[in-house]
């Protein structure tokens, strides 16, 4: 390559990096640096957890300060075979602990990149991929056939390789490449350097994903074994690829993937997401206009790519957003979102899957559902769920705090076992490891909702009013009362919810903003109900249901519900939230989840046909799905449910519904209208 071409490519890469850096601030590279404390094996005290729990019990807890590493005993550790998580846990509990896993040294000291490989799909559209391989002393790629790690991105592979997308890129691929892997990063159809028109997560894109894996398995530099990595879009692509059962795919490692895109993020509760979705569409569109490096050598191909991307924006992105906000078909669940939801194809996924999720992530609801569905079918699956927003979960820099080492080492263990046949000692990693809000402990378990959980309901009791006059949450008989939720269109603006649903960007800019950690001010814009200070800890995990008996003058309205921890000093910590429009209150019992006969996770159809306004003056129950989490309300603290009518900038009413949502909603409490909060406790 001549010097002029080299300089032009460098300029293009730097321009791309600057463009995306302006949209997504880069995090420090999580691949080679350990974030958080070192992690020696747990002591008997930390392995035993709290209370009467002993090592080998259904769950284990350890505090971050205990610095637990994955090498210790784990009564809930899962084997790598296809037995269910529960069976794995029972077997592991009987086995003697093995020596801790340690990362192996690099086999190579350098890498070499081949850019813009052409990958032709069955319809003639050419996708482009960058291939990174180990390099010899001469700087050239080694000729040894290697297992391949595939990443499919919509955020422009040139930008990711330039480092500007470190927040979305996760671990540095060079870590695996230097240990004997090849890394292939491909721009999805209609994005980056690839031809075609973008149709996010369409069936066509899923077919492409499977074809890319098969292509990688058959190349002369591949030994036929393929794994996949990547976060967010790249994580979702892995699930769609795996569902195609492509040749050579042996294991995947999705970070923060979705399950049901409509309920997870597009229209939580029936209103349209205007926090993340516009940012995301803008990011993909902006990344797609960066000129491809190969355009200098192949001007016709470069021009075709540019025209394809322009038409993709005109034919997909703009019409989709406009129709949704105007109350058209994209505002309702249906075939469009079913096609784009991994949960619909998960029964076809059979390869081992390691998941990373966040309790404040865009896909807080979806990632645990993916884990559960795979585990129920006997697919080897792991999940680490931390206190992370979307950018934090994508970067993976804090995964080390879960006690098993940093992200790059976890990927090495996973792929060494399934692609190279090396023992990754995966039985030392529990099937489920999640961060417990309120205690700071990491809990290791076999399952998300298991047999040691029981349903508990807290009844909303008495009256509450705007400005901080709280009603009561009680496990006894509730008193009759009313609480009027006013339509205050700025509630949610300065909360952890605002940060969550803008992917974590505000916290990167204003990480010390008090209202991201204390919800007290926002609660004044709605009504609240509190328990008395707890006399003993209340631990809960999984999804929650808020059943609110309501009436409304317009027949509609929005319920934005937060579950919170009120500390003795008055600090209010938001644990999780849920949203529901009253007109979409129809409940599909066959797809809802129950525990001990009580509703725990409601499923609403969100179709045009199911939508029905509540007759004026009528009182009816509305079940609000509170997204899954894990938390403890400590002694002396109070459990709170807070209800507002808006969650800005997260959600916005469609244009036809807007006036009907600008009304007060009345919550009714008491024995005849038993409004309640139900959770799974132990």
């Amino acid at each position: 390559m001549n010097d002029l071409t080299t300089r032009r490519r460098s300029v293009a890469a730097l321009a791309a990096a600057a463009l995306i850096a302006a949209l997504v601030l880069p995090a420090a590279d999580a691949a080679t640096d350990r974030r958080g404390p070192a992690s020696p094996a747990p002591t008997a005290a930390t392995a035993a957890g709290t209370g009467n729990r002993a090592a080998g019990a259904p769950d284990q807890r350890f505090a971050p300060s205990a610095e637990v590493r994955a090498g210790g005993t784990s009564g809930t550790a899962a084997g790598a075979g296809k037995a269910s998580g529960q069976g794995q846990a029972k077997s592991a509990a009987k086995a003697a602990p093995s020596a801790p896993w340690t990362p192996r040294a690099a086999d190579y000291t350098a890498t070499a990149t081949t850019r813009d490989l052409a990958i032709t799909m069955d319809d003639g559209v050419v996708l482009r991929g960058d291939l990174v391989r180990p390099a010899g002393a001469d700087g050239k790629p080694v000729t040894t056939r290697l297992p391949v790690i595939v990443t499919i991105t919509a955020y422009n592979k040139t930008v990711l390789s330039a480092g500007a997308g470190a927040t979305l890129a996760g671990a540095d691929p060079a870590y695996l490449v230097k240990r004997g892997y090849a890394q292939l990063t491909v721009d999805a159809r209609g994005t980056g350097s690839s031809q075609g028109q973008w149709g996010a997560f369409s069936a066509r894109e899923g077919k492409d994903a499977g074809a890319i894996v098969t292509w990688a398995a058959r190349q002369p530099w591949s030994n036929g074994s393929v794994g996949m990595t990547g976060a967010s879009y790249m994580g979702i692509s892995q699930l769609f690829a795996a569902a195609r059962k492509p040749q050579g795919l042996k294991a995947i490692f999705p970070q923060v993937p979705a399950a049901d895109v409509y309920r997870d993020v597009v229209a939580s509760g029936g209103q349209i997401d205007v926090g993340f979705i516009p940012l995301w569409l803008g990011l993909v569109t902006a990344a797609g206009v960066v000129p491809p490096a190969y355009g200098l050598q192949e001007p016709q191909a470069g021009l075709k790519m540019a025209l394809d991307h322009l038409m993709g924006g005109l034919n997909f992105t703009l019409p989709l957003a406009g129709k949704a906000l105007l109350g058209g078909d994209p505002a309702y669940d249906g075939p469009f979102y079913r096609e784009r939801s991994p949960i619909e194809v998960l029964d076809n996924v059979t390869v081992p899957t390691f998941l990373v999720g966040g309790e404040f992530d865009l896909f807080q609801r979806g990632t645990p559902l993916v884990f559960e569905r795979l585990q129920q079918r006997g697919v080897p699956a792991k999940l680490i769920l931390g206190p992370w927003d979307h950018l934090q979960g994508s970067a993976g820099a804090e995964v080390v705090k879960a006690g098993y080492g940093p992200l790059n080492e976890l990927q090495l263990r996973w792929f060494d076992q399934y692609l190279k046949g090396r023992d990754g000692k995966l039985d030392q990693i529990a099937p489920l490891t999640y961060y417990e809000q309120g205690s700071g402990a990491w809990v290791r378990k076999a399952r998300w909702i298991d047999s040691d959980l029981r349903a508990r309901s807290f009844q909303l009791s008495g009256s509450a009013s705007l400005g901080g006059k709280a009603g009561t949450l009680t496990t006894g008989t509730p008193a009759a009362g009313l609480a009027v939720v006013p339509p205050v269109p700025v509630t949610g603006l300065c909360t952890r919810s605002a940060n969550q649903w803008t992917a974590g960007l505000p916290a990167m800019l204003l990480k010390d903003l008090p209202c991201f950690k204390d919800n007290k001010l926002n609660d004044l814009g709605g009504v609240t109900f509190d328990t008395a200070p707890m006399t003993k800890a209340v631990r809960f995990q999984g999804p929650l249901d808020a059943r609110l008996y309501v009436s409304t003058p317009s027949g509609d309205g929005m319920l934005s519900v937060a579950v919170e921890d009120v500390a003795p000093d008055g600090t209010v910590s938001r644990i999780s939230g849920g949203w529901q429009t009253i007109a979409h209150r129809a409940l599909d019992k066959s797809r809802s989840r129950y525990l001990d006969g009580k509703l725990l996770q409601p499923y609403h159809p969100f179709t045009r046909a199911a939508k029905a306004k509540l007759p004026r003056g009528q009182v009816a129950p509305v079940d609000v799905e509170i997204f899954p989490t894990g938390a403890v309300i400590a002694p002396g603290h109070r459990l709170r449910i807070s209800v507002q009518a808006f969650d800005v900038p997260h959600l916005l009413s469609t244009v036809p519904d807007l006036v009907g949502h600008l009304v007060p909603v009345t919550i009714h409490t008491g024995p005849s209208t038993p409004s309640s909060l139900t959770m799974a406790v132990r």
Side-chain angles (χ1 to χ4, degrees):
M1 185 183 301
N2 60 46
D3 291 341
L4 177 59
T5 300
T6 301
R7 287 197 297 272
R8 286 177 175 173
R9 285 194 174 184
S10 299
V11 170
L14 289 173
L19 174 64
I20 303 305
L23 294 168
V24 181
L25 296 177
D29 194 338
T32 55
D33 293 338
R34 291 180 179 269
R35 307 300 172 98
S39 304
T43 64
T46 58
T50 60
N52 295 322
R53 303 184 187 283
D59 76 47
Q60 297 179 349
R61 289 184 180 82
F62 60 92
S65 58
E67 300 183 354
V68 180
R69 186 175 172 84
T73 59
S74 175
T76 57
K82 289 194 175 184
S84 69
Q86 188 173 7
Q88 293 168 343
K90 290 180 179 178
S91 299
K94 297 177 182 178
S98 57
W101 178 89
T102 55
R104 58 187 176 86
D107 301 310
Y108 304 91
T109 59
T111 66
T113 302
T114 304
R115 300 196 182 279
D116 291 320
L117 291 172
I119 308 170
T120 305
M121 298 294 99
D122 60 354
D123 61 353
V125 169
V126 177
L127 309 184
R128 298 283 181 163
D130 289 350
L131 177 66
V132 183
R133 287 174 285 175
D138 58 359
K140 296 181 179 180
V142 299
T143 57
T144 307
R145 290 176 177 264
L146 301 170
V148 183
I149 305 300
V150 171
T151 302
I152 303 172
T153 181
Y155 305 127
N156 199 314
K157 59 182 176 55
T158 302
V159 174
L160 295 182
S161 65
T167 300
L168 294 175
D172 183 357
Y175 183 84
L176 291 178
V177 172
K178 291 178 180 180
R179 285 157 181 80
Y181 291 88
Q183 169 70 42
L184 177 67
T185 305
V186 181
D187 285 326
R189 177 182 294 246
T191 72
S193 299
S194 291
Q195 294 177 358
Q197 294 184 24
W198 187 48
F201 308 125
S202 64
R204 175 67 253 187
E205 190 174 280
K207 187 176 183 180
D208 289 349
I212 290 167
V213 171
T214 298
W215 182 88
R218 294 176 176 175
Q219 296 311 297
W221 33 262
S222 168
N223 72 356
S225 293
V226 180
M228 298 186 77
T229 60
S232 190
Y233 198 105
M234 298 167 273
I236 297 170
S237 294
Q238 293 178 56
L239 298 174
F240 281 118
R244 295 275 173 172
K245 298 183 178 178
Q247 175 186 332
L249 186 61
K250 301 293 180 63
I252 59 177
F253 203 110
Q255 295 167 236
V256 290
D260 180 334
V261 294
Y262 185 92
R263 288 162 183 79
D264 291 354
V265 67
V266 171
S268 302
Q271 285 193 351
I272 304 301
D273 178 278
V274 292
F276 169 70
I277 295 296
L279 289 174
W280 173 61
L281 293 174
L283 172 62
V284 176
T285 301
V289 301
V290 176
Y294 66 79
L296 297 172
Q297 284 76 35
E298 305 175 47
Q300 289 185 335
L303 178 61
K304 176 173 173 48
M305 183 221 74
L307 292 175
D308 283 345
H309 293 189
L310 176 62
M311 293 305 297
L314 295 175
N315 294 335
F316 177 75
T317 305
L318 293 177
L320 177 65
K323 289 177 182 178
L325 289 173
L326 291 173
D329 287 343
Y332 299 93
D333 195 14
F336 179 86
Y337 295 111
R338 295 305 93 215
E339 179 182 329
R340 289 161 171 78
S341 293
I343 197 76
E344 301 295 329
V345 299
L346 277 183
D347 287 351
N348 295 324
V349 176
T350 58
V351 296
T353 304
F354 200 119
L355 296 152
V356 174
E359 292 170 346
F360 313 121
D361 177 41
L362 298 168
F363 303 121
Q364 173 191 355
R365 178 185 184 274
T367 304
L369 288 175
V370 173
F371 168 71
E372 285 190 286
R373 178 69 69 87
L374 293 175
Q375 192 184 58
Q376 287 164 3
R377 295 180 42 251
V379 177
K382 310 278 189 184
L383 169 61
I384 295 177
L385 190 67
W388 307 314
D389 59 36
H390 194 62
L391 293 182
Q392 291 170 328
S394 296
E398 295 186 1
V399 168
V400 65
K401 295 180 180 179
Y404 305 113
L407 182 65
N408 53 7
E409 290 184 8
L410 282 173
Q411 291 178 342
L412 180 65
R413 295 177 75 166
W414 195 247
F415 293 126
D416 267 6
Q417 174 136 336
Y418 290 113
L419 272 65
K420 290 198 169 191
R422 294 173 177 263
D423 183 7
K425 297 190 176 182
L426 299 179
D427 60 324
Q428 297 175 354
I429 303 174
L432 169 65
T433 305
Y434 73 85
Y435 178 85
E436 185 177 67
Q437 296 183 58
S439 70
W442 289 87
V443 181
R444 296 177 176 181
K445 294 194 60 180
R447 291 182 177 275
W448 188 226
I449 303 296
D450 56 20
S451 58
D452 64 335
L453 293 174
R454 293 292 178 265
R456 178 183 294 181
S457 294
F458 292 86
Q459 308 295 322
L460 279 65
S461 178
S463 297
S465 60
L466 179 71
K469 183 183 181 300
T472 300
L473 274 181
T474 179
T475 54
T477 302
L482 300 174
V484 178
V485 183
V488 180
V490 294
T491 50
L493 185 59
C494 191
T495 65
R496 180 179 272 169
S497 178
N499 180 69
Q500 177 172 356
W501 297 103
T502 49
L505 286 172
M508 295 182 69
L509 297 169
L510 302 166
K511 64 180 179 179
D512 296 323
L513 198 63
C515 60
F516 287 166
K517 298 178 181 178
D518 190 346
N519 227 45
K520 180 166 48 182
L521 179 62
N522 190 70
D523 284 355
L524 297 176
V527 297
T528 59
F529 293 81
D530 297 352
T531 63
M534 295 295 180
T535 57
K536 61 179 181 180
V538 175
R539 286 191 159 86
F540 56 96
Q541 67 184 77
L544 304 87
D545 175 63
R547 171 165 288 184
L548 304 177
Y549 282 77
V550 303
S551 60
T552 167
S554 69
D556 206 354
M558 179 67 173
L559 297 168
S560 175
V561 180
V563 174
E564 301 169 333
D565 179 319
V566 183
D569 66 0
T571 301
V572 180
S573 300
R574 179 187 174 95
I575 297 172
S576 188
W579 307 267
Q580 186 61 44
T581 58
I582 294 169
H584 275 301
R585 67 191 178 281
L587 185 67
D588 184 342
K589 293 183 179 180
S590 68
R591 301 189 70 174
S592 298
R593 171 180 287 186
Y594 294 81
L595 181 64
D596 299 333
K598 295 184 176 182
L599 183 61
L600 191 64
Q601 188 169 30
Y603 187 96
H604 300 283
F606 294 117
T607 61
R608 194 186 295 273
K611 186 177 181 180
K613 290 186 176 182
L614 183 64
R616 186 179 181 89
Q618 182 174 323
V619 179
V622 179
D623 289 290
V624 183
E625 178 185 4
I626 309 298
F627 283 10
T629 190
V632 58
I633 307 298
H637 290 235
R638 290 174 287 157
L639 173 68
R640 167 176 289 183
I641 183 171
S642 174
V643 186
Q644 283 87 36
F646 285 85
D647 193 31
V648 178
H650 175 201
L651 297 171
L652 181 67
S653 308
T654 62
V655 172
D657 291 340
L658 182 57
V659 174
H661 289 174
L662 291 170
V663 297
V665 175
T666 301
I667 300 174
H668 300 254
T669 67
S672 62
T673 51
S675 296
S676 62
L677 174 67
T678 300
M679 59 180 64
V681 303
R682 62 180 73 257

